[in-house]
Amino acid sequence: MFRSSRKLRFCCLLLVFLISSFSSKVSAGIFGTVRGIVHDVQHRPIQGAQIELRAKLSDWKRSAVTDGEGSFQIDAVPAGDYTLRISHEGFRDSEAELAVAADTAPLRHFPLELASINQKIEVQAEADRIDPTSSTSSATVTRSEIAALPGASRTNSLDFITSYTPGAYMVHDQLHIRGGHQVSWLVDGVPVPNTNIAANVGAQFDPKDIDVVEIQRGGLSAEYGDRTYASFNIIPRSGFERDREAELVATYGSYHATDSQLSFGDHSERFAWYASVSGSRSDIGLMPPERQEFHDNNNGLGAFTSLIFNVTPKDQLRFVGSARGDYFQIPNTLDQQQIGTHDVERERDVFGNFSWVRTVNPGVLFTVAPFFHWNRAAYDGYLPSAGFTLDDAPITTNHNDSHYEGGLANLAVTRGRHNARFGLYGFAQQDDAFFRIVNTDGTPSPSPQSSQPHGSLFSFYAEDQFRLTNWLTLNGGFRFTHFSGDVTEDKTDPRLGAALRIPKLNWVFRASYSRFYQAPPLTTISGPLLAATDSGFLPLRGETDEEREFGLAIPIHGWTLDFSNFQTHALNFFDHDALGNSNIFLPLTIERARIHGWESTVRSPRIAKRFVVFLSYANLMVQGSGVITGGLIADPGQLCDGGGFCYLDHDQRNTLSAGFHASLPWRTFVSGNLGYGSGFLNGNGPQHLPDHTEFSLSLGKSFGEKLSVNFTAQNIADSRYQLDDSNTFGGTHWNYPRQISGGVRYRFHF
């Protein structure tokens, strides 16, 4: 296919350095390393043991043989759940379940017992999901968990994030984690850059296309960029789980809601492919401003594909592409509905990334990945049929196209006590923005504004995970970032951490200290349009954050308990404000913010081979202080009355999510999820809105391997509550009403 691997490496490296004048925020992989030592009960190494690693949800598999020290290593293992089988003549065969996370390489020990007369396979305990070498707070969610969780597989749903992640919630149609907005989305370890905060309300990914998602929310390594609050690494379905199979998913429910998908997949020894098309619509798309929903329809279409080709045993090519289009009616109040207000939002999102993964030598992995991303958000305000608007509010229009082109290069080296990574990542961004305000009070309307800002960002990072002893691992690195736009900024940020495993108990203490730089959006507004808003607009500067975290992970008989305490202090904290009386949000930065919190998660093993339970809880405090330092400035005074710190609009002290999955007789299942919030800030505070609780339930039954049906009731008690009444930044929103739906899933060969 290519004349030589050397020429291919040279071309790809040249590509990365050519784009180094662009920019970067995040880069990560999807691969981990499985390595271990096989020994007998007296800890003597066993040479020549046969190792077979097999994915639990697909046909992916690899093999190895132990060396004279009983050691083996399998590189380039995609993150997910696996079964490891070990066999050797004279010993009892052994199987162990493993959970592999990206960019990790823990050293595991596998004891083998001498064979007895009654030979049988020894099955070890369920997968231990605690990485004893990591100082990062993380979780992994699989496609089976997404399919079982009530409502999580719906298009535009982020329940698979909020149900498993402490301190994650949706408010004013935006995802918040640890009190912040800015998060990183990656697909196959390649970032999908998007610097625009609060511009889009539609999700970039259909949960039905996800195989595994890795959620990292604290103590992020240098490789995982500069979005302080969380990083989501999406590993899509690959086709290795299909054998010339297609799957049709169709649902229908309350408010004329439909959500359907047709997907195809197949694989051979060297090639795997997956493709899907999907469509959805509902009479409820966005959170309404009042208890009753008016003018709230939503519909969307999407297509997705993933291709994997193993060119040689050492070279793999991967491509992931997606295209989505969404249409949202902007919900009305009763007064707006009576006069005929009908604002809409149209969104488009297209991305693609191509990866070349080269296993240079055992333990040395090199990745090059060029990518592109196009994102469009078009808000159109329309004059009501009566010819006037409520309180003579202006009609607003905001269109923004963003184009990103870039690439990354990553070198991973896993040798002995070291697990090191070095990388470059960069992209260039071009925006095309259009703003317009039409006054309805008889005064002249300002001239529309068009702008084409552009910017770039470049990053270099280096880090090492050094296993000082079998019970202590040190993590250290740095990330240099250069941003160029309306402002030019350079930051070099350290990332330090440690993980301490208590022998025999296997408890893991972790600690981390990190600094982050988050590049600003390119949004700007000026001239007559700015004067018409009675506001100012200052250039946006990047957010700089300092984070400290301490954590403890405890395994108990297959249960996993995780606790963490963190503090985040931010300068130029990103938030957003409305333009006039419209639903258009423009970014702004707050002088200072501080976020303190406790988090805990609980994950059970499979109880009685049927039941799994999980829980996530967070106690957070989100405060801001000072003045508005950038973006849209309506009031140049102090953010908080009397100075000091005050609560921000998305402050909610307690957030809880608890659920269960149960496999029942007759090929049936039931899943439930309870969500609780203590209430967000009420206006200017310090009082908060009342607490709220929702419970959702899902039932299903399989008829053989091809057909299954399910029934889902979300917010089953139809509890209605005001979700937020923001002081300045978000507006007023209510939660969704009860929604009941039924669905069918049919798989067939083609």
Side-chain angles (χ1 to χ4, degrees):
M1 184 175 180
F2 299 95
R3 292 184 178 179
S4 70
S5 60
R6 180 178 298 176
K7 183 176 180 180
L8 178 58
R9 289 198 300 270
F10 173 79
C11 292
C12 292
L13 281 170
L14 179 61
L15 170 65
V16 173
F17 280 102
L18 285 175
I19 64 170
S20 64
S21 60
F22 297 170
S23 170
S24 153
K25 278 184 299 212
V26 222
S27 66
I30 67 167
F31 298 112
T33 297
V34 174
R35 57 178 180 165
I37 298 175
V38 180
H39 54 79
D40 62 17
V41 293
Q42 296 181 351
H43 284 268
R44 291 176 298 195
I46 299 175
Q47 182 179 4
Q50 300 294 320
I51 309 296
E52 183 181 69
L53 183 68
R54 184 183 294 271
K56 296 182 68 174
L57 299 177
S58 73
D59 285 342
W60 190 98
K61 60 183 178 180
R62 291 290 187 272
S63 60
V65 179
T66 58
D67 60 19
E69 297 180 349
S71 299
F72 71 92
Q73 180 167 318
I74 303 176
D75 299 309
V77 180
D81 293 333
Y82 292 84
T83 299
L84 183 76
R85 183 185 178 102
I86 306 173
S87 60
H88 191 282
E89 184 178 357
F91 291 88
R92 181 186 301 174
D93 290 355
S94 175
E95 284 189 359
E97 294 187 1
L98 303 179
V100 177
D103 301 331
T104 61
L107 183 65
R108 300 175 172 93
H109 288 257
F110 300 95
L112 293 186
E113 295 184 357
L114 290 173
S116 60
I117 297 176
N118 297 320
Q119 180 77 11
K120 65 178 181 179
I121 295 176
E122 178 190 1
V123 180
Q124 299 184 13
E126 289 201 36
D128 185 357
R129 296 183 177 274
I130 298 176
D131 182 357
T133 65
S134 175
S135 52
T136 300
S137 297
S138 62
T140 299
V141 181
T142 65
R143 71 169 183 264
S144 59
E145 292 172 311
I146 295 173
L149 188 70
S153 61
R154 295 172 301 142
T155 302
N156 286 328
S157 172
L158 292 177
D159 289 351
F160 68 94
I161 298 292
T162 58
S163 296
Y164 291 102
T165 308
Y169 41 75
M170 296 292 295
V171 59
H172 41 257
D173 297 301
Q174 302 290 327
L175 176 65
H176 296 70
I177 294 183
R178 288 193 167 188
H181 305 77
Q182 300 273 66
V183 298
S184 300
W185 290 95
L186 306 95
V187 177
D188 257 356
V190 181
V192 182
N194 189 355
T195 64
N196 299 314
I197 178 173
N200 293 82
V201 291
Q204 294 174 315
F205 314 99
D206 190 329
K208 293 184 285 295
D209 292 321
I210 295 175
D211 190 46
V212 175
V213 56
E214 285 193 316
I215 303 169
Q216 300 195 10
R217 64 184 190 278
L220 302 181
S221 69
E223 183 184 7
Y224 276 77
D226 291 307
R227 294 297 182 96
T228 309
Y229 303 100
S231 174
F232 308 113
N233 192 4
I234 303 294
I235 302 174
R237 297 196 180 193
S238 62
F240 277 111
E241 73 281 359
R242 302 280 182 95
D243 184 12
R244 291 189 61 85
E245 288 179 307
E247 185 176 74
L248 173 66
V249 178
T251 64
Y252 181 80
S254 306
Y255 302 95
H256 305 289
T258 62
D259 190 358
S260 302
Q261 184 191 68
L262 180 61
S263 61
F264 302 85
D266 190 21
H267 74 278
S268 63
E269 289 294 325
R270 299 177 60 195
F271 180 66
W273 64 273
Y274 169 86
S276 70
V277 291
S278 60
S280 62
R281 63 96 49 211
S282 176
D283 289 344
I284 298 179
L286 302 178
M287 295 177 176
E290 296 179 347
R291 181 186 180 97
Q292 182 63 43
E293 306 81 24
F294 300 105
H295 191 259
D296 199 11
N297 289 0
N298 156 240
N299 61 72
L301 295 172
F304 183 89
T305 188
S306 170
L307 309 173
I308 299 176
F309 180 49
N310 294 314
V311 183
T312 71
K314 291 188 175 183
D315 295 282
Q316 184 182 90
L317 303 179
R318 307 172 71 98
F319 174 78
V320 177
S322 172
R324 283 203 56 78
D326 289 283
Y327 170 88
F328 297 93
Q329 292 181 340
I330 305 302
N332 287 334
T333 64
L334 177 60
D335 291 335
Q336 290 172 328
Q337 185 70 14
Q338 289 176 340
I339 65 172
T341 301
H342 53 286
D343 295 357
V344 300
E345 167 98 349
R346 297 178 177 88
E347 299 184 358
R348 301 290 184 270
D349 193 272
V350 178
F351 71 81
N353 67 65
F354 173 83
S355 301
W356 170 51
V357 183
R358 168 74 173 177
T359 303
V360 182
N361 288 308
V364 181
L365 200 67
F366 179 63
T367 303
V368 172
F371 61 81
F372 71 90
H373 182 209
W374 170 57
N375 177 267
R376 174 177 171 82
Y379 181 101
D380 290 291
Y382 290 99
L383 192 67
S385 56
F388 62 90
T389 61
L390 186 66
D391 297 329
D392 293 322
I395 305 299
T396 53
T397 301
N398 178 16
H399 293 180
N400 189 79
D401 281 74
S402 296
H403 298 262
Y404 307 84
E405 310 90 16
L408 67 87
N410 182 71
L411 177 65
V413 181
T414 303
R415 289 285 177 83
R417 297 179 181 271
H418 296 274
N419 182 21
R421 276 161 178 71
F422 311 89
L424 302 170
Y425 170 69
F427 69 81
Q429 177 182 353
Q430 309 89 40
D431 279 12
D432 188 353
F434 174 78
F435 293 96
R436 181 176 61 197
I437 293 179
V438 177
N439 291 332
T440 60
D441 58 1
T443 60
S445 299
S447 302
Q449 174 183 311
S450 295
S451 61
Q452 291 79 37
H454 62 274
S456 64
L457 191 150
F458 167 78
S459 287
F460 167 76
Y461 63 86
E463 63 184 358
D464 187 22
Q465 187 178 75
F466 178 63
R467 187 166 52 86
L468 187 63
T469 69
N470 289 332
W471 48 270
L472 177 61
T473 302
L474 303 179
N475 299 287
F478 72 92
R479 188 178 185 90
F480 167 78
T481 303
H482 170 79
F483 172 76
S484 178
D486 288 339
V487 298
T488 299
E489 296 178 311
D490 295 285
K491 295 290 182 179
T492 301
D493 297 318
R495 308 288 170 84
L496 304 173
L500 174 67
R501 181 180 62 86
I502 305 299
K504 295 185 179 180
L505 287 177
N506 289 323
W507 292 15
V508 178
F509 290 90
R510 64 179 184 274
S512 64
Y513 173 83
S514 306
R515 286 184 178 271
F516 299 87
Y517 168 78
Q518 302 188 57
L522 300 182
T523 305
T524 184
I525 180 174
S526 61
L529 182 60
L530 183 61
T533 67
D534 295 324
S535 303
F537 198 96
L538 292 177
L540 289 158
R541 304 187 70 87
E543 177 180 332
T544 58
D545 304 296
E546 181 183 67
E547 181 187 73
R548 301 178 181 90
E549 180 169 343
F550 301 91
L552 171 63
I554 303 175
I556 302 178
H557 301 298
W559 291 73
T560 302
L561 289 72
D562 191 282
F563 307 93
S564 60
N565 172 268
F566 72 92
Q567 299 181 24
T568 302
H569 295 268
L571 297 177
N572 294 321
F573 177 76
F574 282 123
D575 214 312
H576 48 81
D577 203 355
L579 178 61
N581 293 318
S582 73
N583 283 293
I584 298 176
F585 290 105
L586 291 177
L588 55 79
T589 52
I590 299 170
E591 184 176 347
R592 293 186 301 277
R594 64 184 184 189
I595 307 167
H596 299 178
W598 285 90
E599 297 177 338
S600 60
T601 62
V602 177
R603 299 285 289 268
S604 80
R606 188 166 293 275
I607 304 171
K609 299 183 179 180
R610 293 188 181 276
F611 300 93
V612 175
V613 298
F614 59 91
L615 177 146
S616 63
Y617 167 76
N619 177 277
L620 301 176
M621 182 176 64
V622 187
Q623 296 178 304
S625 178
V627 298
I628 305 301
T629 58
L632 191 66
I633 302 176
D635 182 2
Q638 289 287 326
L639 177 72
C640 309
D641 295 336
F645 282 87
C646 58
Y647 296 115
L648 296 181
D649 59 322
H650 43 264
D651 176 84
Q652 178 168 256
R653 195 57 43 83
N654 297 289
T655 306
L656 170 71
S657 176
F660 69 91
H661 308 314
S663 300
L664 304 178
W666 304 297
R667 303 178 67 91
T668 61
F669 76 87
V670 58
S671 298
N673 190 68
L674 173 72
Y676 168 81
S678 59
F680 292 97
L681 190 70
N682 188 1
N684 291 319
Q687 293 78 22
H688 287 61
L689 294 167
D691 60 357
H692 50 267
T693 305
E694 289 187 20
F695 180 72
S696 300
L697 189 69
S698 182
L699 304 171
K701 177 174 175 55
S702 297
F703 299 90
E705 298 297 327
K706 294 184 177 181
L707 178 65
S708 64
V709 296
N710 64 81
F711 169 85
T712 300
Q714 296 175 265
N715 189 11
I716 195 170
D718 198 26
S719 58
R720 302 305 307 277
Y721 52 86
Q722 189 174 347
L723 191 64
D724 66 326
D725 183 15
S726 300
N727 46 4
T728 55
F729 304 130
T732 301
H733 299 85
W734 283 66
N735 72 313
Y736 294 112
R738 176 174 55 222
Q739 299 178 69
I740 299 175
S741 63
V744 60
R745 184 184 301 266
Y746 179 68
R747 179 171 288 193
F748 57 94
H749 289 277
F750 59 88

